[in-house]
Amino acid sequence: MLPDFALRSVITAMLALVPLATAAPQPITKRSTSELSLTAQLRLADTAIERYKLLPKDEDFVFSFTETSLPIASSQNFPALVGTGVSFSISQLPACSMSFVHLHPRATELFAITSGRVLSEMVPEAGVLDSEGHQRVIRAELNPGMVTIYPAGSFHTQVNPDCVPANFTAAFNSDEFAVGLVAAQTFSLSDDVIAATFGETIAGEDIEKVRHAIPATMAIKVEECLSKCGKQKRQT
């Protein structure tokens, strides 16, 4: 049994919420389904049968990598993938280049080499340690016909150490896998947070220098390889 003062407090709080519960709902602006993108309409469809009706042409189920500048087929540019839980990429890592350290927050990636050579590094989640108790880093040299896996959320990068491009394909278990760029997103935080994160080893004025030094393209040139191959670093 609650004391009188406690009981009165509970009743007062409940009565204060009554106007919120009984207030008339605010009008919601309705949008016609036809105003939505095809991808949005497919996501709202009740069944797979309804999705097929929204894709009446046979060519709706074909994606051409030769007709797009973006080497990725996902639900955003290939609506037939909505509801399938997959997306796919065919691309190339230029000679003497390295992809940004990145992750895919919503998908595991299967990465396969079709020509050339790629050095792969992947950092699993925190708590996955090597034999010496340090964060484990999984490294692999990939040649044509070889595949590696990057679990969702794992940091990874690929390096092409040779003078010719490396061609690859990548499959993802999400139709909207997304990409997180580790360096760029880390240095988007406030200066105080960055300084504390790196143990105060980066001074405030240096943080801005690092921000501006992060390349804007997805491929970072490997200086040693450029020298070996007699190539010049492309200026941006």
Side-chain angles (χ1 to χ4, degrees):
M1 184 73 179
L2 287 172
D4 287 346
F5 74 89
L7 185 59
R8 286 196 297 271
S9 298
V10 172
I11 293 173
T12 301
M14 292 177 65
L15 290 174
L17 293 174
V18 169
L20 296 178
T22 58
Q26 296 297 313
I28 298 175
T29 302
K30 294 184 178 179
R31 293 180 61 187
S32 169
T33 304
S34 61
E35 295 177 10
L36 301 176
S37 68
L38 177 57
T39 299
Q41 292 180 53
L42 289 163
R43 292 196 189 284
L44 291 172
D46 289 330
T47 65
I49 293 174
E50 293 298 320
R51 287 198 290 272
Y52 277 106
K53 290 179 180 179
L54 290 167
L55 301 168
K57 302 176 182 177
D58 291 349
E59 52 263 38
D60 289 334
F61 294 86
V62 177
F63 182 87
S64 175
F65 283 98
T66 62
E67 297 177 4
T68 177
S69 59
L70 186 67
I72 297 170
S74 69
S75 57
Q76 282 68 60
N77 60 355
F78 188 21
L81 291 179
V82 171
T84 64
V86 296
S87 50
F88 193 72
S89 176
I90 297 177
S91 193
Q92 176 182 97
L93 194 60
C96 300
S97 68
M98 179 184 85
S99 67
F100 273 127
V101 178
H102 63 284
L103 58 88
H104 305 294
R106 291 189 288 276
T108 291
E109 176 183 1
L110 282 175
F111 181 88
I113 295 297
T114 55
S115 71
R117 181 170 68 110
V118 165
L119 306 179
S120 165
E121 293 199 15
M122 185 266 285
V123 180
E125 63 192 88
V128 179
L129 308 178
D130 61 19
S131 58
E132 297 179 351
H134 302 135
Q135 171 69 55
R136 185 176 179 187
V137 180
I138 298 173
R139 299 178 174 90
E141 179 176 322
L142 304 174
N143 294 293
M146 299 176 71
V147 176
T148 191
I149 185 170
Y150 304 122
S154 61
F155 294 179
H156 57 277
T157 185
Q158 301 94 10
V159 178
N160 178 358
D162 296 329
C163 305
V164 296
N167 293 288
F168 66 88
T169 62
F172 304 86
N173 65 344
S174 168
D175 58 45
E176 188 188 1
F177 57 89
V179 177
L181 301 177
V182 176
Q185 291 180 243
T186 297
F187 279 85
S188 295
L189 296 168
S190 64
D191 289 2
D192 290 344
V193 172
I194 293 171
T197 298
F198 288 92
E200 307 296 337
T201 58
I202 304 179
E205 61 272 17
D206 293 329
I207 291 174
E208 197 62 30
K209 291 180 182 178
V210 173
R211 285 195 182 105
H212 289 298
I214 297 173
T217 58
M218 275 297 289
I220 304 170
K221 292 299 181 182
V222 180
E223 298 288 352
E224 182 179 351
C225 177
L226 289 169
S227 177
K228 175 186 71 175
C229 299
K231 295 178 180 289
Q232 290 186 347
K233 185 174 182 179
R234 182 177 297 173
Q235 299 298 320
T236 57

